[in-house]
Amino acid sequence: MKVIQIMAITPFLLFLMNTFGTNYLVLIGKEKVLKNIILICSILGFILSCIIVTHYSYIGISITLVSIWGIRGVLTFYYAKKFQKQSEKNSME
């Protein structure tokens, strides 16, 4: 039951990652930025899971997953908004 409570936020995080990552950053040609976000989050997730799982077992995995997806969701949202503002600024000139 605890895992379900921890993982309850994942639909929102998946929404952020897919909407602003796959469906926006790739669409505007920023695949390299998305690749770097995914790479950094994957490495960080691996390191974090190696540390947390030994102490918290399957609860640790759910905490790690939600944390990494949260970081990835926030980063994709941040860069999507950053590039959107740049695009709007360039179109105004």
Side-chain angles (χ1 to χ4, degrees):
M1 189 63 157
K2 186 77 169 168
V3 173
I4 294 172
Q5 292 172 340
I6 294 168
M7 300 285 293
I9 187 113
T10 57
F12 175 71
L13 299 175
L14 284 170
F15 166 78
L16 283 177
M17 290 186 299
N18 289 330
T19 302
F20 296 105
T22 308
N23 293 332
Y24 185 74
L25 291 176
V26 171
L27 184 68
I28 64 169
K30 300 296 182 182
E31 296 93 350
K32 188 173 182 179
V33 173
L34 184 60
K35 177 194 66 141
N36 290 338
I37 291 171
I38 293 170
L39 182 65
I40 289 167
C41 288
S42 297
I43 293 168
L44 184 61
F46 178 74
I47 293 167
L48 190 60
S49 66
C50 288
I51 296 167
I52 289 183
V53 170
T54 57
H55 297 289
Y56 299 105
S57 184
Y58 63 95
I59 300 292
I61 288 292
S62 61
I63 291 169
T64 301
L65 186 66
V66 169
S67 300
I68 297 304
W69 281 6
I71 292 168
R72 184 174 160 198
V74 168
L75 286 174
T76 55
F77 178 77
Y78 169 78
Y79 281 103
K81 289 299 177 183
K82 178 181 173 183
F83 293 128
Q84 184 181 24
K85 285 180 183 178
Q86 285 178 354
S87 175
E88 289 172 358
K89 184 180 174 183
N90 291 339
S91 66
M92 297 280 264
E93 295 175 352

